[in-house]
Amino acid sequence: MSLTKEQIAQRIAKELQDGYYVNLGIGIPTLVANYIPQGMNVVLQSENGLLGMGPFPFEGEEDPDLINAGKQTITTVPGSAFFDSAMSFGMIRAGKVDLTVLGAMEVSDQGDIANWKIPGKMVKGMGGAMDLVASAKNIIVAMMHTNPKGESKLLPECTLPLTGKRCIKKIVTEIAVLDVTDRGFKLLERAPGVSVEEIVSKTAGKLVVEGEIPEMTF
Amino acid sequence: MNKVYKNAAEAITGIRNGSVIMLGGFGLCGIPENCITALVEAGVKELTCISNNAGVDDFGIGLMLQRKQVKKMISSYVGENAEFERQLLSGELEVELIPQGTLATRCMAAGYGMPAVFTPAGVGTEVATGKETRIFNNKEYLLEYAFDADFAIVKAWKGDTHGNLIYKETARNFNPLMAMAGKITIAEVEELVPAGELDPNQVHTPGIYVHRIFQGTGYEKRIEQRTVRKRS
């Protein structure tokens, strides 16, 4: 069975460690915040200038001066800090953020990522994605393994304009967990009930399968 | 030293057709609402606007786009704006998209008196086209130049008559960076107090960077994405 978006987020949350500073992108990555294990101290960075992002406010308590990078109203948690956009990307560039989770349209088996532009369609801009992928030391991509037509999004080379080169370390899709290695994608785990053959057939890029591939646990 | 102006209409004096202006804010958060209204009323055209975003159809820089006052936008993300898209596709509007951290750092460089900076953002992508690169510690970086803007227009929470500024929460974003970067910096504040009333320990932008300041009125502070949770 393929994972739901919530389950993808839940699986990614297993990569969190106590004391991590984490930047979560828009979409599935945002959901990771819902699965931070009880008692674990993880500080969420929002690149518009906040460390210590909390949940959405209660109705009636929205503050227009307090938003996240998706422009959503949010709250802060105790111990939070505000700063300007240069410092925000400064801490990202300097490798202070331990983990970045973001979505992708395509990834290549060398770790390239494309997630900002589809030629011929309205280009909205890269926002902070290029800065994040160019600097983060640990990037996990949350994405669907195939597009709605069933074509693989894990490719030998990205076909869309790149956001960054050779920067992705780990990918979690609805059917698999993979590392990006010197030899291409390396299959680590499969979704419960999903066969290795299905993952092989849906992965266009180089895929290394070695030994027994365990099912994911949550 | 008199930096205090009566209102936005006076404070934007000198911005003319073809000016290069920076506007603070992230989305609709921390945007200089009063000055945008004044620019719309003044009707100046052919503006180059450096701003992280371009507002929405009927608010923020979107209001200037409606009146076709903008020749070029330099931004990192320009979604949420149908009129923007129309002008872009018809060729009326020129757009330069740059990574958000690069945008912030090019403002910072201007304010710190540095002509350029090296950043890894965009290496290996179309953003790198035509740019000088250099390798440091086995990693490739792009040379990005400091912005050169005629005016910077920023919004702060509190300010004093010397131009010292304090921002609120995430409404800070690009404002302090742009405040440092303008040849002439115009600050609109929610509350303007006499010099000496702000705690110097709390000042984010020292007044040396601010040339004109006024207390704004009628802030709408529109929320772009109202997200809430239920009380359980």
Side-chain angles (χ1 to χ4, degrees):
Chain A
M1 268 274 285
S2 300
L3 303 188
T4 61
K5 289 179 176 179
E6 284 74 17
Q7 287 172 312
I8 294 175
Q10 203 177 347
R11 174 61 191 81
I12 290 171
K14 281 186 67 184
E15 305 291 321
L16 299 172
Q17 291 180 28
D18 193 51
Y20 259 20
Y21 290 94
V22 179
N23 182 290
L24 300 175
I26 294 164
I28 299 174
T30 306
L31 301 173
V32 174
N34 299 334
Y35 300 101
I36 299 170
Q38 282 279 322
M40 185 183 281
N41 198 358
V42 168
V43 180
L44 299 179
Q45 201 250 18
S46 191
E47 66 265 25
N48 57 319
L50 168 62
L51 274 168
M53 177 166 58
F56 295 148
F58 289 120
E59 205 162 349
E61 293 178 2
E62 308 92 311
D63 178 350
D65 291 321
L66 183 51
I67 64 169
N68 64 16
K71 289 137 192 167
Q72 298 170 312
T73 46
I74 48 157
T75 56
T76 56
V77 295
S80 63
F82 297 111
F83 36 85
D84 66 55
S85 300
M87 184 177 282
S88 183
F89 285 96
M91 63 184 71
I92 289 165
R93 215 179 284 122
K96 305 295 181 188
V97 175
D98 298 290
L99 175 65
T100 293
V101 184
L102 72 173
M105 298 174 191
E106 294 177 348
V107 292
S108 83
D109 58 23
Q110 298 122 67
D112 299 347
I113 177 170
N115 71 352
W116 76 284
K117 182 175 181 178
I118 301 173
K121 286 205 180 171
M122 170 65 188
V123 179
K124 294 188 168 182
M126 66 291 280
M130 284 192 182
D131 307 274
L132 280 160
V133 301
S135 298
K137 52 189 173 190
N138 190 6
I139 303 175
I140 300 179
V141 169
M143 66 187 294
M144 291 293 144
H145 215 94
T146 55
N147 66 19
K149 288 190 228 157
E151 297 161 339
S152 182
K153 293 162 71 167
L154 280 67
L155 304 169
E157 294 282 346
C158 292
T159 62
L160 296 169
L162 291 184
T163 309
K165 273 184 93 72
R166 293 168 196 268
C167 49
I168 304 308
K169 303 284 191 295
K170 191 182 278 292
I171 301 159
V172 179
T173 75
E174 78 282 21
I175 56 172
V177 179
L178 312 102
D179 267 352
V180 179
T181 69
D182 294 342
R183 297 183 291 154
F185 300 119
K186 185 171 193 311
L187 184 57
L188 300 180
E189 299 172 20
R190 56 199 169 84
V194 171
S195 67
V196 170
E197 292 70 32
E198 179 181 344
I199 296 164
V200 170
S201 74
K202 289 181 171 172
T203 306
K206 240 182 294 170
L207 179 66
V208 177
V209 183
E210 283 173 349
E212 278 298 298
I213 305 300
E215 288 192 351
M216 294 178 207
T217 55
F218 297 93
Chain B
M1 172 169 62
N2 181 30
K3 298 185 176 186
V4 178
Y5 282 63
K6 204 168 73 193
N7 53 34
E10 278 190 7
I12 63 161
T13 304
I15 299 182
R16 56 176 64 89
N17 294 350
S19 289
V20 177
I21 62 174
M22 292 178 157
L23 297 114
F26 183 97
L28 300 178
C29 182
I31 59 171
E33 294 182 22
N34 280 238
C35 283
I36 289 171
T37 302
L39 286 167
V40 169
E41 282 166 3
V44 284
K45 292 191 186 313
E46 304 277 303
L47 297 171
T48 293
C49 295
I50 302 167
S51 178
N52 189 53
N53 312 92
V56 294
D57 272 323
D58 60 343
F59 200 58
I61 293 174
L63 297 170
M64 292 159 64
L65 290 163
Q66 270 182 11
R67 308 287 178 99
K68 300 192 170 67
Q69 293 176 271
V70 182
K71 180 182 73 176
K72 182 176 181 180
M73 279 302 309
I74 300 175
S75 305
S76 84
Y77 189 83
V78 292
E80 349 298 349
N81 194 322
E83 175 61 16
F84 182 96
E85 189 170 342
R86 193 198 64 71
Q87 290 183 24
L88 180 62
L89 294 173
S90 71
E92 292 164 65
L93 179 67
E94 193 184 335
V95 177
E96 184 180 341
L97 292 169
I98 56 183
Q100 195 173 127
T102 302
L103 182 73
T105 309
R106 289 176 66 186
C107 295
M108 189 196 76
Y112 278 25
M114 300 185 297
V117 291
F118 283 103
T119 174
V123 167
T125 76
E126 63 185 52
V127 165
T129 308
K131 286 180 183 156
E132 273 183 64
T133 63
R134 191 158 157 190
I135 312 273
F136 296 95
N137 300 321
N138 299 316
K139 185 167 169 149
E140 190 175 348
Y141 292 80
L142 302 182
L143 185 68
E144 296 279 5
Y145 291 95
F147 282 122
D148 183 13
D150 302 318
F151 292 87
I153 305 174
V154 303
K155 153 82 197 318
W157 180 32
K158 294 178 181 176
D160 71 16
T161 50
H162 279 196
N164 296 304
L165 303 176
I166 296 175
Y167 307 91
K168 189 175 171 219
E169 301 169 339
T170 55
R172 190 181 317 184
N173 56 65
F174 285 84
N175 282 301
L177 306 164
M178 292 181 171
M180 295 192 301
K183 284 195 199 78
I184 294 175
T185 290
I186 303 161
E188 59 174 84
V189 298
E190 290 177 52
E191 188 185 353
L192 181 63
V193 299
E197 283 196 16
L198 296 180
D199 177 356
N201 289 300
Q202 305 299 326
V203 168
H204 297 130
T205 296
I208 192 169
Y209 286 115
V210 176
H211 306 91
R212 305 175 184 176
I213 189 166
F214 69 95
Q215 182 168 303
T217 56
Y219 283 102
E220 179 178 337
K221 293 197 182 182
R222 194 184 292 187
I223 291 173
E224 212 164 328
Q225 305 278 346
R226 186 180 299 275
T227 45
V228 295
R229 73 187 139 134
K230 291 259 179 284
R231 285 172 207 272
S232 52

